[in-house]
Amino acid sequence: MNIALILAGGNGSRTEQSIPKQFISIYEKPIIIYTLEAFQIHPEVDGIIVSCIDGWHDVLKGYAAAADITKLRWVVGGGDNGQASARNALLTLENICNEEDIVIIHDAVRPMISQEIITDCIEKAKQYGSGLSAIRCQETIMRTEDGEAGHVGIDRNDIMRVQTPQAYRYGKVLWAHKEALKRGITNAVYTNTLMMELGEELHFSYGSNKNIKITTLEDIDIFKALYATKRDAWLRSS
């Protein structure tokens, strides 16, 4: 069984909007619904669980019903950060998933995720135990302490930009989140950073520069442009 775990627990303050960014409507559809639709139509995804910001659970369920997101089976409370939100969902699945099932963890605010990304993420997790959507860095990288100046470069051939989705075998990822709590690791940015703190080796899967994370108002403009191009391509081919 392959379960998509969607992180929607943040309030999105950097978008300077009055509602959480995952519920901002773009082209008359909330951002989170674009994301859920990608997992809804993927043939290898069996179910979806969303870790959702408090007060928005019923709103999410209403939007999902209207969009015919039939794979949405669980909505749980979000946490104080991404680590806590993922842990809440993983614990909910404890009596549902077995150790070899695959959990695909993804940001609700990455709505441009493709079917190819999901497929390769799952396949790498089945093969190696983990699959982290990642891409090579094309920019020059410098190390800095204050964000204002730096004099040390980092070879971009030595680094990867890790995105979501990130897929793991359920038994391993549940163990990692429980073990992190025991060791006092409580503010990991993503599950992969938590895994690295626990000394785990991780494997990369296919990523894309189009798989953007909507964090700022500028990102919303980028998403609008990317989606409009994709939509126009659909119309020309239909």
Side-chain angles (χ1 to χ4, degrees):
M1 183 164 60
N2 303 318
I3 301 296
L5 191 171
I6 308 301
L7 299 175
N11 59 22
S13 58
R14 280 179 286 180
T15 56
E16 302 173 4
Q17 301 295 301
S18 59
I19 65 173
K21 58 186 175 183
Q22 57 270 32
F23 290 101
I24 293 173
S25 185
I26 307 294
Y27 298 127
E28 301 182 352
K29 185 188 300 183
I31 289 170
I32 191 171
I33 295 301
Y34 290 98
T35 303
L36 293 178
E37 285 175 336
F39 290 95
Q40 171 71 27
I41 66 174
H42 196 283
E44 295 185 65
V45 174
D46 301 298
I48 301 171
I49 182 169
V50 178
S51 187
C52 183
I53 187 170
D54 289 342
W56 288 82
H57 293 201
D58 289 339
V59 175
L60 171 61
K61 291 174 183 177
Y63 281 138
D68 200 26
I69 307 296
T70 58
K71 291 182 181 179
L72 178 61
R73 294 172 59 187
W74 311 274
V75 178
V76 301
D80 293 335
N81 53 37
Q83 178 180 343
S85 291
R87 184 175 64 247
N88 288 351
L90 291 167
L91 290 172
T92 298
L93 296 173
E94 198 161 9
N95 295 320
I96 298 164
C97 293
N98 64 48
E99 290 198 351
E100 296 302 311
D101 287 338
I102 301 298
V103 177
I104 311 116
I105 304 174
H106 187 62
D107 295 316
V109 289
R110 288 188 188 267
M112 287 298 295
I113 182 174
S114 69
Q115 299 296 285
E116 293 80 8
I117 288 175
I118 298 172
T119 297
D120 197 52
C121 194
I122 293 171
E123 289 306 308
K124 290 298 191 300
K126 288 180 177 178
Q127 186 175 0
Y128 300 111
S130 60
L132 281 59
S133 178
I135 56 176
R136 285 285 188 182
C137 188
Q138 299 174 343
E139 294 84 8
T140 299
I141 305 298
M142 293 179 63
R143 190 182 302 279
T144 181
E145 295 182 359
D146 57 9
E148 296 182 3
H151 64 276
V152 178
I154 300 174
D155 190 336
R156 61 188 178 185
N157 292 317
D158 293 338
I159 63 174
M160 294 288 284
R161 287 172 52 200
V162 176
Q163 308 172 326
T164 64
Q166 299 179 9
Y168 305 91
R169 291 195 186 103
Y170 176 73
K172 187 68 172 185
V173 71
L174 180 64
W175 165 83
H177 276 269
K178 288 182 175 181
E179 185 66 19
L181 277 185
K182 292 178 183 177
R183 299 191 192 184
I185 302 169
T186 59
N187 196 30
V189 176
Y190 278 123
T191 293
N192 70 296
T193 57
L194 181 156
M195 288 277 199
M196 288 188 291
E197 288 194 60
L198 295 175
E200 296 295 315
E201 181 178 76
L202 303 171
H203 293 263
F204 302 123
S205 61
Y206 174 66
S208 171
N209 283 311
K210 292 181 180 179
N211 184 26
I212 63 167
K213 182 179 181 180
I214 297 178
T215 303
T216 66
L217 290 175
E218 185 179 48
D219 297 326
I220 292 176
D221 291 337
I222 294 171
F223 170 61
K224 286 180 177 179
L226 288 171
Y227 184 77
T229 299
K230 184 178 180 180
R231 180 190 58 197
D232 291 346
W234 286 338
L235 292 174
R236 287 195 298 271
S237 63
S238 61

